[in-house]
Amino acid sequence: MAVAGGLPAESADEQGRGGLWAALAGLTTRGRSFLAAGVAAAICAFVLGQEDLLRVGLLLAVLPLVCTVVLYRTRYRVAGSRRLEPGRVPAGSEARVHLRIDNVSRLHTGLLMLQDRVPYVLGPRPRFVLDRVEAGGKREVSYRVRSDLRGRYPLGPLQLRLSDPFGMCELTRAFSAYDTLTVIPRTEPLPPVRLSGEAAGYGDGRHRSLALAGEDDVIPRGYRHGDDLRRVHWRSTARYGELMVRREEQPQRARCTVLLDTRDLAYAGAGPDSAFEWAVSGAASALTHMLERGFSVRLLTDTGSSVPGEGAGGFAGTTQDSSDSAGLMMDTLAVVDHSDGGGLSRAHDVLRGGNEGLLIGFFGDLDEEQAAVAAKMRRRSGAAVAFVLDSVLWTQGGLERGPVEERLRLLREAGWTALAVRPGDALPELWRRAGRERTNAGAASGGAAGTAGGWS
């Protein structure tokens, strides 16, 4: 069985290996029963000398063999395609898979059974029975997949099972193409907590920086409707013959780094309700929220790897590529796993030097040494908020113990707004609480917390 569109329904190895003998292996239970009954009847006819019984035996034995040869020699040309809607879904949500079969040959097909291979976590393997497809005809079917576990899951290859009209033989052929479904972490909408002193996208609080210095360095641009006439650059207007304005300043987008602690020793438990999955989901929610607010955002892990990894310092750049950067960061979080590292020093090295803007950290267990490293990160950013998921809180009924509070105190003394996360806590409520605490801290210090990059 061949296929159109560059998707071979069977590979060259499958076509050349075994040949007709491989087709005989496709005899169904009915076909094998007919063959066995025919052979037995022929033997009895030979022993008993009954010619009529021999004819019956030959008919029973030849029928499944003829069906096998006819089915094997029939060369259908079938094209198959698969479409995902959507190709990226949050954990716990459904995606629909559309399958299409086109008969591009001049012969109608027999009965077809269509089967798609899917990982067990996405649900049962879908099977469809298609009646004969006329020449040039098509059939479309669909099924739904769902997973509570984030990850990247292959769909395919698509398999077709051919059957003769008598049900004596079945042949299975497989397409070679497959698609990938990406299940990203769940995200929660976060409340708008005002960030003072930030260049929040293109809003009222944006910062501006001079594009160039000096009258001679002005790079003009063409006049646009609504431009202030006081910015008209007359020298350039006379030179180019059209109205030109000065481009003296440009908006400076605020920066935000979301730090995810993935150390294996920092988390206890596994599964969708584990502390690590809460941290991954929280990081995804924070990334989405800050991108929607117009921030330049990047994802940083304890291993020092940064996503998107290009542009200014690895941050997501302009508004045009924010969606692509968000997709890249979500794809990274879909497959992120525990790291073998034992410390946060590599992440601290990435944050060293320069103004990193707002820093939002999701930490697991912090011993005294790692808490000190995390405290130093605060010095490199304007404001920092930490969500600490200590194993003590997640494995002993959510009761706070001394070591947990000691780590939080150390972070708070360094300027972090540090919150402990207990099982069942919702990130939106913690987000509001962090905003209130930052506001209170800024008011108590006379507004010192509202410096550039501050959280208030």
Side-chain angles (χ1 to χ4, degrees), residues 200-373:
Y202 300 96
D204 296 336
R206 64 192 179 197
H207 288 171
R208 291 188 176 271
S209 59
L210 293 179
L212 295 167
E215 179 70 17
D216 296 335
D217 292 333
V218 171
I219 298 180
R221 61 167 175 83
Y223 175 82
R224 300 172 186 170
H225 179 71
D227 284 338
D228 190 347
L229 292 178
R230 290 174 297 181
R231 296 176 54 196
V232 173
H233 193 255
W234 297 109
R235 182 182 303 176
S236 298
T237 299
R239 179 179 179 181
Y240 292 102
E242 60 177 314
L243 201 59
M244 308 292 289
V245 297
R246 295 188 301 271
R247 185 168 54 187
E248 296 177 339
E249 52 186 20
Q250 59 187 6
Q252 177 181 333
R253 291 168 61 86
R255 291 182 171 185
C256 174
T257 298
V258 177
L259 173 61
L260 176 61
D261 181 10
T262 64
R263 295 172 298 135
D264 186 33
L265 54 82
Y267 298 93
D273 298 327
S274 64
F276 181 67
E277 292 301 323
W278 195 101
V280 173
S281 177
S285 300
L287 288 170
T288 302
H289 178 74
M290 302 311 294
L291 282 171
E292 290 175 350
R293 295 202 60 185
F295 280 69
S296 293
V297 183
R298 71 173 173 182
L299 172 66
L300 179 65
T301 66
D302 60 289
T303 62
S305 60
S306 177
V307 181
E310 297 179 357
F315 288 84
T318 62
T319 303
Q320 287 77 10
D321 64 9
S322 293
S323 59
D324 296 335
S325 300
L328 180 58
M329 288 185 284
M330 287 300 174
D331 289 345
T332 302
L333 290 176
V335 297
V336 70
D337 202 355
H338 292 291
S339 67
D340 297 331
L344 302 171
S345 57
R346 282 178 288 184
H348 175 260
D349 293 338
V350 174
L351 295 172
R352 180 179 299 168
N355 179 22
E356 302 298 335
L358 178 65
L359 177 60
I360 304 174
F362 293 85
F363 299 102
D365 284 337
L366 293 174
D367 56 23
E368 185 175 356
E369 179 182 357
Q370 299 309 315
V373 175

Side-chain angles (χ1 to χ4, degrees), residues 91-92 120-122 147-151 153 183-184 186 271-272 277 334:
Y120 73 95
V121 296
L122 297 182
S147 175
D148 292 327
L149 301 175
R150 57 185 176 81
Y153 301 102
V183 181
I184 62 176
R186 295 184 182 92
E277 292 301 323

Side-chain angles (χ1 to χ4, degrees), residues 396-432:
Q396 299 185 14
L399 300 176
E400 294 187 14
R401 301 295 178 87
V404 180
E405 284 300 312
E406 179 64 24
R407 307 298 180 251
L408 295 177
R409 184 188 61 80
L410 182 60
L411 293 176
R412 289 164 182 162
E413 289 179 352
W416 285 81
T417 301
L419 301 176
V421 181
R422 302 174 181 81
D425 282 351
L427 181 59
E429 181 55 36
L430 293 175
W431 194 264
R432 292 190 187 93

Side-chain angles (χ1 to χ4, degrees), residues 137-159:
K138 64 180 181 180
R139 297 290 186 272
E140 294 185 2
V141 293
S142 64
Y143 64 93
R144 295 176 297 179
V145 291
R146 179 181 181 274
S147 175
D148 292 327
L149 301 175
R150 57 185 176 81
R152 292 173 62 87
Y153 301 102
L155 301 178
L158 188 63
Q159 291 182 329

